[in-house]
């Protein structure tokens, strides 16, 4: 079965022959209302970008999250790029970023010239540890990137205390955490900036790609439209003829920073507004399904899940678990050999510690001090999941894990 695991999408998603249970590329299908909304834009919207659907989606998203300002963009990586620009990141600045995350959490800050300082994880929640952040702050530290990985909110109250004490900017990577909250407050609204993804594998997707940048400051919000759209703005003075000197101005919003084109289309924005209506129902379904899996495995001491602090809404993006087979000399790879080969469950591993990847090592970000992540990651793994997974599939996964562990003990 090992040769089959290499096929398909590099993330491990998508159907692959030979497995009883695979990980689908999308968490749930589009509804008929969502499909009709996109078709309506194709047929009837004269403006296909930068139009009324964009304005409506930004308004809807700000209301859903309780944010001051929301700006739709083409993907979450570019939302993070805008955040790096607004932070004023320049060559030599240090940025503390969780080492346990998708590569896009760090790349925009490295491209801006920052020295990346890898943050370790909390041993119970598996998100970035505030205590580790504090011990790694230096006079060169400019910002903290707190990643709400797997839909689990990072400890934002503590992170914000630390940031305030050291006058640091805070960027929240909420790519996997739409609808995640701490005591009712939506992630992405604690820090200076919140970055969201609507990639095809997320709970809500806008035709495969899309994102939103949340901005707290009114002054920062004034800068985003220009740096998001090639510096294009209106002329800020009255003109005798609307076409003189040109239809739009192109200006510099932030001294020393070139603008970009991170715009998103009207059809995606219209779809986003409609999808927000069913988002909470979908996340509730995923949470309940994951709780059912945890219940099925509660008497298996070798399998553990992250612990959810009181008041946290953990939206369970990707069902990562930890395996401890040390009592009988086995590890995660031994378990997955059986799960994929004998039992036909396409388990995968995700989010390799970023300092282990060639890209970061070659670009000078291979240095790390993350003892918790180092001791934990190599025995973590994911099982298949999607919104609306039937109970019999959950039982199949749980029974297969129990059987595979029993095999290993023999």
């Amino acid at each position: 079965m090992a040769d089959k695991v290499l096929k398909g999408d590099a993330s491990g998603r998508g159907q692959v022959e030979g497995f009883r249970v695979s990980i689908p590329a999308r968490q749930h299908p589009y509804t008929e209302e969502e499909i009709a909304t996109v078709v309506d834009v194709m047929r009837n919207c004269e403006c296909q970008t930068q139009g009324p659907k964009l304005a409506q989606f930004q308004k809807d998203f700000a209301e859903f999250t309780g944010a001051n300002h929301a700006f739709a963009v083409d993907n979450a990586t570019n939302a993070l790029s805008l955040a790096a620009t607004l932070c004023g990141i320049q060559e030599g600045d240090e940025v503390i970023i969780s080492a346990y995350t998708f590569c896009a959490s760090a790349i925009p800050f490295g491209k801006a010239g920052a020295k990346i300082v890898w943050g370790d994880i909390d041993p119970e929640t598996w998100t970035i540890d505030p205590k580790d952040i504090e011990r790694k702050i230096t006079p060169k530290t400019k910002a903290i990137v707190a990643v709400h990985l797997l839909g689990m909110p990072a400890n934002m109250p503590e992170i914000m205390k630390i940031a305030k004490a050291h006058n640091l900017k805070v960027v929240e990577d909420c790519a996997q955490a739409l609808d995640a909250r701490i005591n009712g407050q939506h992630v992405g609204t604690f820090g200076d900036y919140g970055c969201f993804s609507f990639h095809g594998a997320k709970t809500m997707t806008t035709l495969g790609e899309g994102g939103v940048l949340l901005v707290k400051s009114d002054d920062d919000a004034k800068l985003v439209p220009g740096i998001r759209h090639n510096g294009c703005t209106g002329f800020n003075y009255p003109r005798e003829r609307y076409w003189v000197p040109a239809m739009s101005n192109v200006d510099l919003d932030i001294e020393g920073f070139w603008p970009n084109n991170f715009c998103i289309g009207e059809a995606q924005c219209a779809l986003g507004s409609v999808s927000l209506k069913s988002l909470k129902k979908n996340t509730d379904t995923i949470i309940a399904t994951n709780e059912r899996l945890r219940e099925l495995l509660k008497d298996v001491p070798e399998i553990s899940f992250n612990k959810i602090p009181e008041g946290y809404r953990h939206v369970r993006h990707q069902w990562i678990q930890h395996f401890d087979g040390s009592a009988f000399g086995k590890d995660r790879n031994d378990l997955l050999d059986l799960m994929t080969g004998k039992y036909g469950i396409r388990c995968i591993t995700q989010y390799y510690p970023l300092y282990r990847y060639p890209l970061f090592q070659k670009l000078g970000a291979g240095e790390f001090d993350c003892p918790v992540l180092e001791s934990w990651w190599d025995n973590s793994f994911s099982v298949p999941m999607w919104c609306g997974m039937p109970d019999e599939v959950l039982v199949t996964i749980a029974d297969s894990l129990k059987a595979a562990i029993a095999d290993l003990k023999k």
Side-chain angles (χ1 to χ4, degrees), residues 89-96 109-110 113-117 364-365 367:
I89 301 299
Q90 299 190 56
E91 198 78 32
D93 290 335
E94 292 182 1
V95 179
I96 300 173
F109 298 90
K115 175 187 176 182
I116 296 172
V117 178
E367 182 181 343

Side-chain angles (χ1 to χ4, degrees), residues 143-371:
I144 299 164
V145 180
V147 184
H148 306 298
L149 195 70
L150 316 177
M152 168 67 86
N155 188 343
M156 294 311 301
E158 286 302 313
I159 290 171
M160 294 309 299
K161 287 179 186 176
I162 293 167
K164 184 177 181 180
H166 295 273
N167 194 29
L168 302 176
K169 293 287 189 179
V170 175
V171 179
E172 295 180 67
D173 183 341
C174 315
Q176 300 179 355
L178 183 54
D179 197 29
R181 304 169 191 268
I182 300 175
N183 296 323
Q185 182 175 346
H186 202 291
V187 297
T189 65
F190 291 86
D192 299 281
Y193 315 104
C195 304
F196 292 79
S197 172
F198 312 127
H199 179 270
K202 302 300 189 294
T203 311
M204 178 181 128
T205 178
T206 51
L207 300 177
E209 292 288 357
V212 158
L213 171 70
L214 300 185
V215 178
K216 180 172 287 186
S217 159
D218 294 344
D219 290 336
D220 281 349
K222 294 174 184 176
L223 303 173
V224 176
I227 62 175
R228 174 180 62 177
H229 186 25
N230 297 305
C232 291
T233 61
F235 288 92
N236 61 358
Y237 54 86
R239 293 179 288 160
E240 182 179 354
R241 298 177 177 87
Y242 68 78
W243 61 86
V244 178
M247 293 310 296
S248 65
N249 196 12
V250 179
D251 204 348
L252 193 65
D253 292 279
I254 301 176
E255 191 69 30
F257 287 89
W258 287 84
N260 299 276
N261 182 356
F262 294 155
C263 298
I264 185 172
E266 288 285 275
Q268 292 172 280
C269 291
L271 174 59
S273 288
V274 173
S275 297
L276 280 173
K277 298 176 184 177
S278 58
L279 177 65
K280 187 177 184 302
K281 178 182 176 182
N282 290 334
T283 51
D284 284 346
T285 298
I286 293 171
I287 290 169
T289 311
N290 180 254
E291 283 298 313
R292 168 70 169 146
L293 180 64
R294 293 180 183 223
E295 179 68 20
L296 290 168
L297 295 171
K298 69 177 182 179
D299 296 324
V300 183
E302 294 82 10
I303 298 293
S304 59
F305 295 86
N306 54 2
K307 295 182 181 179
I308 306 168
E310 185 177 352
Y312 281 47
R313 179 170 169 83
H314 172 20
V315 294
R316 324 295 172 95
H317 179 80
Q318 303 302 327
W319 294 350
I320 291 185
Q321 300 154 66
H322 186 262
F323 172 65
D324 182 2
S326 58
F328 40 95
K330 300 296 182 181
D331 61 21
R332 183 266 317 279
N333 294 335
D334 297 314
L335 178 66
L336 296 201
D337 280 342
L338 286 172
M339 289 293 289
T340 58
K342 182 176 180 179
Y343 294 100
I345 310 296
R346 196 182 195 210
C347 299
I348 60 175
T349 58
Q350 293 177 296
Y351 314 121
Y352 202 42
L354 293 188
Y355 49 76
R356 296 186 185 182
Y357 278 119
L359 183 145
F360 293 101
Q361 293 175 349
K362 291 175 181 178
L363 292 173
E367 182 181 343
F368 66 93
D369 176 17
C370 300

